[in-house]
Amino acid sequence: MAAAQAGDRRAYERVLADSVPLIRAAARRQGVAVDQVDDVVQETLLTVHRVRHTYDPARPYDAWLSALASRRAIDGLRSTGRRDRRELHDEQAFDTATDHHDATAETEREQEARRLRDAIALLPPGQREAVERLGLKEQSLAEASAQTGRQQGALKVNLHRAMKALRARLHGEP
């Protein structure tokens, strides 16, 4: 890792490849499910990449990596726990459920969509353009800035103000 910190690309690739078994072992020690181990490996390797400058070559690399891997494994377990509390896992219910087409729900969605379109149309031009480009067309700030000639900061401000105005208009929030 010391060579990788000094800029040796091959050493960096080698240290990452050699780290995978150690990360897998740390994840298994924490009790991560077999199907989630690869996620922990990826998250740990990303963390190693982000914080590689913090590694002290005077200390053992394996201990530093194990600490990172254990933390990512715990994060994964927490995330799985949160997701399992929210999601319902009932295969029989899924298999026996029928797909009811509810016309009233569709009508409500159409009404909500119309209300949103009308609310966007009432926004000032700069705010409306920010919502259309960044929100509806999902352009990046750089793309929207290049196409509109506006600075990225101005687009952010316009989007923030537009979202605040839309919330107030649609939900009565201040």
Side-chain angles (χ1 to χ4, degrees):
M1 183 57 143
Q5 285 177 317
D8 186 343
R9 182 182 174 101
R10 287 182 186 245
Y12 188 54
E13 290 171 358
R14 200 168 41 251
V15 78
L16 291 179
D18 293 346
S19 297
V20 172
L22 186 61
I23 297 169
R24 286 181 180 282
R28 284 192 300 269
R29 274 194 309 273
Q30 291 294 333
V32 173
V34 175
D35 63 331
Q36 299 295 315
V37 170
D38 286 339
D39 293 339
V40 172
V41 170
Q42 285 183 342
E43 288 300 318
T44 303
L45 291 176
L46 287 170
T47 301
V48 166
H49 182 71
R50 276 194 312 271
V51 300
R52 66 186 180 273
H53 65 278
T54 66
Y55 170 67
D56 180 4
R59 304 190 58 112
Y61 173 76
D62 289 355
W64 181 78
L65 180 64
S66 292
L68 292 176
S70 292
R71 289 183 186 118
R72 293 299 75 85
I74 291 169
D75 290 347
L77 290 169
R78 286 181 183 145
S79 173
T80 300
R82 284 190 300 267
R83 187 175 52 247
D84 287 348
R85 281 194 305 270
R86 287 191 311 262
E87 293 181 359
L88 175 65
H89 301 285
D90 188 351
E91 291 296 324
Q92 184 179 4
F94 181 75
D95 290 339
T96 60
T98 57
D99 188 16
H100 297 288
H101 183 68
D102 188 2
T104 59
E106 186 172 321
T107 303
E108 289 175 9
R109 282 193 299 272
E110 290 172 358
Q111 290 174 352
E112 289 174 2
R114 187 175 358 92
R115 283 184 59 218
L116 180 59
R117 281 192 303 273
D118 293 345
I120 291 172
L122 294 174
L123 291 171
Q127 292 178 12
R128 184 174 52 247
E129 184 176 48
V131 167
E132 289 171 351
R133 292 192 180 274
L134 299 172
L136 300 176
K137 292 182 181 176
E138 296 181 353
Q139 292 179 334
S140 69
L141 274 171
E143 291 171 333
S145 176
Q147 290 180 3
T148 63
R150 295 175 185 242
Q151 293 184 353
Q152 291 182 11
L155 286 167
K156 282 185 189 179
V157 168
N158 280 335
L159 181 63
H160 174 74
R161 289 178 179 164
M163 297 306 288
K164 186 176 179 181
L166 290 171
R167 272 193 296 276
R169 189 166 288 134
L170 297 173
H171 302 295
E173 295 178 15

